[in-house]
Amino acid sequence: MCVSVNMMDFVLDNCARKMFAVYPSPRHLLQDPNALENLALLITCLYNQKKAEYILAMTKTLAQKWLKDHGHDIHDYSKINENIVPDDFDYLLQLNGFGRKVVSMTLYGVYKKIYAIAVDRHVRRLLVCLGIAFVGWNNDKI
C-alpha cells in the first residue's frame, strides 16, 4: 500500500496484476536477489523507481516482524508461508507510507475488519456540505 492512494484504479490494477503474476507472495519477492530491478520494471506504470523501493522495503519490514514474532531468524524468508500483515492498526500506522486511510483499507482488505470508512477529500467536502462533518473537525474522526 505504499503506492499512492490517488492513482487511478485501472493503473494500479494493471500494475498489481503484473507484480503478483511474478511475485505471488512476499517470500517470492524477498528471495529474488534482483527484486528491486525486476519490480521497478514490472511497475513502470507507477512512473517511479522509488515506488519499487518502498514496496520492497515495506515487504521486508513486515516479513521481518512476522519472522521475529514467530521465533524465526529475521532473514530466513523461506519460513514465510502465510499473511505477514499484522492485525494491528497502531503498528501499521507507524510505518512509512501508511496513513489512517491506507491502514483502514489494508486491514479491511486482509482481515475484513472495519476500523474506519476510508474516504477521499471529495467525500469529506460532501460531508461538510451536508452538515454531517464540520470544516474544523478532526480528520481522524471522519
Side-chain angles (χ1 to χ4, degrees):
M1 298 302 297
C2 302
V3 181
S4 171
V5 292
N6 295 322
M7 300 239 8
M8 299 178 83
D9 288 344
F10 68 89
V11 173
L12 285 176
D13 288 345
N14 184 35
C15 288
R17 268 194 280 283
K18 288 179 186 178
M19 185 176 73
F20 289 120
V22 176
Y23 299 115
S25 75
R27 183 183 69 232
H28 290 91
L29 177 63
L30 295 171
Q31 289 181 320
D32 178 0
N34 300 313
L36 183 59
E37 296 81 12
N38 293 337
L39 191 58
L41 290 173
L42 286 170
I43 60 172
T44 54
C45 51
L46 298 177
Y47 311 113
N48 192 335
Q49 174 150 350
K50 273 291 193 204
K51 303 288 187 192
E53 292 171 12
Y54 286 137
I55 291 169
L56 187 57
M58 183 60 55
T59 304
K60 282 183 181 179
T61 298
L62 293 174
Q64 289 174 353
K65 178 181 178 8
W66 185 91
L67 288 164
K68 181 180 176 187
D69 290 351
H70 288 81
H72 301 296
D73 172 41
I74 64 167
H75 300 290
D76 187 0
Y77 300 127
S78 67
K79 300 289 187 195
I80 297 172
N81 59 7
E82 60 183 74
N83 172 24
I84 61 170
V85 178
D87 181 12
D88 184 339
F89 188 92
D90 293 327
Y91 173 79
L92 291 174
L93 197 55
Q94 295 173 29
L95 298 175
N96 185 24
F98 272 59
R100 297 183 67 78
K101 181 177 176 181
V102 172
V103 171
S104 295
M105 291 171 31
T106 301
L107 290 176
Y108 178 76
V110 175
Y111 296 105
K112 302 298 183 227
K113 291 193 173 186
I114 299 175
Y115 288 88
I117 298 172
V119 298
D120 63 17
R121 69 184 132 232
H122 306 294
V123 174
R124 186 183 195 299
R125 277 191 239 157
L126 182 60
L127 292 173
V128 170
C129 287
L130 294 173
I132 297 169
F134 301 98
V135 175
W137 240 24
N138 180 348
N139 284 336
D140 294 350
K141 302 297 181 190
I142 299 177

